[in-house]
Amino acid sequence: MIDKTSQDNTMQKIVSLCKRRGFIFPGSEIYGGLANTWDFGPLGIELVNNIKQLWWKRFVKDREDIVGISSAILMNPKVWQASGHLKGFTDPLVECKKCHVRLRADHLKENFNNQCPECSGKVFTDERQFNLMFKTFIGPVEDETATVYLRPETAQGMFVNFKNVQDTTRLKLPFGIAQIGKAFRNEITPGNFIFRVLEFEQMEIEYFIEENGWEERFNRWQNEMEKWLLDIGIKKENFVVREHQKKELSHYSKKTIDFEYKYPFGQKELYGLAYRTNYDLTAHKLDLDGYVPHVIEPTFGVERTILALLCDAYSEDGNRVILKLKPSLAPYKVAVFPLLANKPELVAKAREVFETLKGEFTCAWDDRGNIGKRYYAQDEVGTPFCITCDFDTLQDETVTLRDRDTAKQERIKISELKTALRGKIA
Ligand code: GAP
């Protein structure tokens, strides 16, 4: 059993690694930050893009029954009225009467034992429902008629385009519409790094079915989601499936399960799978001659995927930190070094190798410090392979190829590098 302090330490180490090596920076940092906003840095965005591309390939490109769309973030407010979000997308909010901090009423009970986490106060205002949608205005006048909302889920873009997609693709049930895009929520709870943020990306599928047999479709999607998690490298023992109790269900759902991940700060939601019945298509009153399809919705948060990947991959071996990301997801696939930076012939040879590889593999270049430090620096960001050009390279056109996880080195011909890497990274 890991104690609370070491859990906090692990989280701190991950947050600091992310900042130090360019995965994730605090949002608007030079102005003192903005709570619950974060920016992806050069390595973070590579990881994000790798995840999004893999997801799109698996669930859209490789399947005949799912097509993609990308809908607008701003939608007619009638969408949110019909979907029930204007009325139902709320959290219960209380305010501490002493320091005026606002908290979610359920979190106050569950996490803080009815005591204010800021000032230890015990007197709170009555609970009131707080809508999580961000508001903004179209045009110069900030009044009711100009109000629009930043979408709190990408799902509604799929529902309002259901008929457009069906008419243009001629897909027959069962079929799905997928989307990757930003969603926004005015969260009032502290974020735990990128776990709960104001602005995040969702990868969602609305899978339209006939009502009959929905349980079987639901189970199939549960298996697909589990397979995805295992395939991106999340260890089986680190996630669990939990079914929502009746009182937890969203206003549109008849059955929901969460995939929960064991983050260092506790076991919490990673992904969701919901049976939304025909609630949404009925609510939007689409002109669908006849049957109104039901829908199963697998939903995947990008930020939580990245957080789970980082937590799962983070490991230490003495002083050495290794991010054991799956090679296909790692920001850099390979790093290339000249053994010594002050030998122009070694630098030129290493450059040549770097140039040959970089069109196909995301490559890092490093010629600073000693070779051991360079290996460690690459281990820490998850680069699965390092290539070093040394004096033998100049004689026999071979290099050392070092493996991140075993630290083993093998000698390999430059002409065989690409094929070897392809095999190892696939
Ligand atoms: N369309 C269904 C829907 O939006 P949700 O469970 O509210 O369901 C889906 O959100 C996923 O989006 C979550 O499983 C999580 O991965 C991610 N998510 C939700 N709120 C988030 C937040 N504030 N910060 C980061 N990710 C969030």
Side-chain angles (χ1 to χ4, degrees), residues 14 69 75-76 95 114 161 186 262 294 405 424:
I14 292 172
I69 62 163
M75 302 175 87
N76 189 313
E95 190 175 314
N114 287 323
N161 279 298
N186 198 354
K262 296 174 187 170
H294 284 231
D405 297 339
K424 288 171 190 285

Side-chain angles (χ1 to χ4, degrees), residues 153 155 185 187 194-197 200 202 204 252 269-272 276 297 299-301 304:
E153 60 169 9
R185 294 184 191 176
E187 301 278 6
I194 56 169
F195 174 77
R196 186 174 278 108
V197 281
F200 55 97
Q202 293 184 322
E204 289 197 306
Y252 48 71
E269 180 185 350
L270 169 59
Y271 298 150
R276 293 177 79 127
E297 178 194 64
T299 175
F300 307 67
R304 290 192 192 171

Side-chain angles (χ1 to χ4, degrees), residues 2-63:
I2 310 169
D3 63 42
K4 174 101 177 60
T5 324
S6 81
Q7 289 173 356
D8 289 349
N9 279 345
T10 309
M11 213 44 228
Q12 273 168 19
K13 283 178 188 171
I14 292 172
V15 174
S16 110
L17 168 66
C18 284
K19 164 97 200 285
R20 188 159 36 83
R21 299 304 310 273
F23 280 91
I24 300 166
F25 306 127
S28 317
E29 195 184 11
I30 62 165
Y31 289 104
L34 179 67
N36 300 326
T37 66
W38 297 85
D39 296 338
F40 285 108
L43 296 196
I45 192 59
E46 291 297 332
L47 189 54
V48 166
N49 284 342
N50 291 343
I51 279 292
K52 292 200 294 193
Q53 276 159 17
L54 186 68
W55 189 91
W56 195 259
K57 177 168 171 4
R58 169 178 295 222
F59 293 115
V60 183
K61 282 194 175 166
D62 288 353
R63 293 181 64 133

Side-chain angles (χ1 to χ4, degrees), residues 410-425:
E410 59 178 304
R411 203 77 203 169
I412 179 166
K413 284 202 179 114
I414 293 175
S415 58
E416 289 166 9
L417 262 179
K418 277 192 177 177
T419 316
L421 287 171
R422 269 179 220 135
K424 288 171 190 285
I425 289 165

